[in-house]
Amino acid sequence: MDLAPPVRELGLSAALRSLANRMSEQHGLVVDLKIDAAADSPREDISILLIQSARELLFNIVKHAKTDRACVKLKQRGAGGLVLTVSDKGAGFDPADASNPASTNGTGFGLPSIRERLRLLGGRIKIKSAPGAGSRFDLSFPPGMPDFGEAGNPVPPDSSGRP
């Protein structure tokens, strides 16, 4: 699960449920899941990035937020758009610190890495936090994003682009 999230086998929604269960069992973090029934991504690269990002953000909550509760929401936005929100009502932080790659201390996936990987796939992250006021991370991909085949060329929406 840590190195290769089971997105291909389970789908994005089920992989998020599995992640929430693991966080509860291994770290005592209760994760309230709110998943739009229609929300899923046909693109494995986006699904994997969302799972890895959710895992990193939930670990950050365990390590820094001083709370044992988090909320993960997955919503469909238009045709093919997705928004993943990870939030808590814990200690919060100054979002300006999240822009500093040194803030990860060389460990973990890190917020700068999440931001860069999202950008490379056409997504973005919005961070809302303040000391003592909890944190909210919105990771979004716009509707109508093209899929890219193995050769890097756009694939028609009705085709998987895989042999």
Side-chain angles (χ1 to χ4, degrees), residues 16-28:
L16 283 170
R17 283 187 199 90
S18 176
L19 174 62
N21 289 336
R22 284 178 51 118
M23 294 304 293
S24 177
E25 292 168 6
Q26 294 179 354
H27 303 285

Side-chain angles (χ1 to χ4, degrees), residues 36-104:
D36 182 350
D40 205 356
S41 175
R43 290 186 49 185
E44 187 176 351
D45 56 348
I46 288 176
S47 294
I48 288 171
L49 175 57
L50 289 175
I51 291 290
Q52 289 174 336
S53 298
R55 183 181 64 228
E56 178 68 19
L57 294 169
L58 291 171
F59 275 132
N60 285 348
I61 291 169
V62 168
K63 292 187 288 187
H64 306 294
K66 298 180 178 137
T67 185
D68 62 353
R69 300 193 72 81
C71 182
V72 174
K73 296 179 187 176
L74 180 65
K75 294 198 287 191
Q76 188 80 29
R77 189 174 81 184
L82 288 173
V83 178
L84 177 73
T85 300
V86 178
S87 61
D88 68 75
K89 295 183 186 217
F93 66 98
D94 181 351
D97 292 341
S99 299
N100 180 3
S103 67
T104 64

Side-chain angles (χ1 to χ4, degrees), residues 125-136:
I125 185 170
K126 180 179 172 187
I127 302 170
K128 182 178 180 185
S129 185
S135 301
R136 178 181 167 134

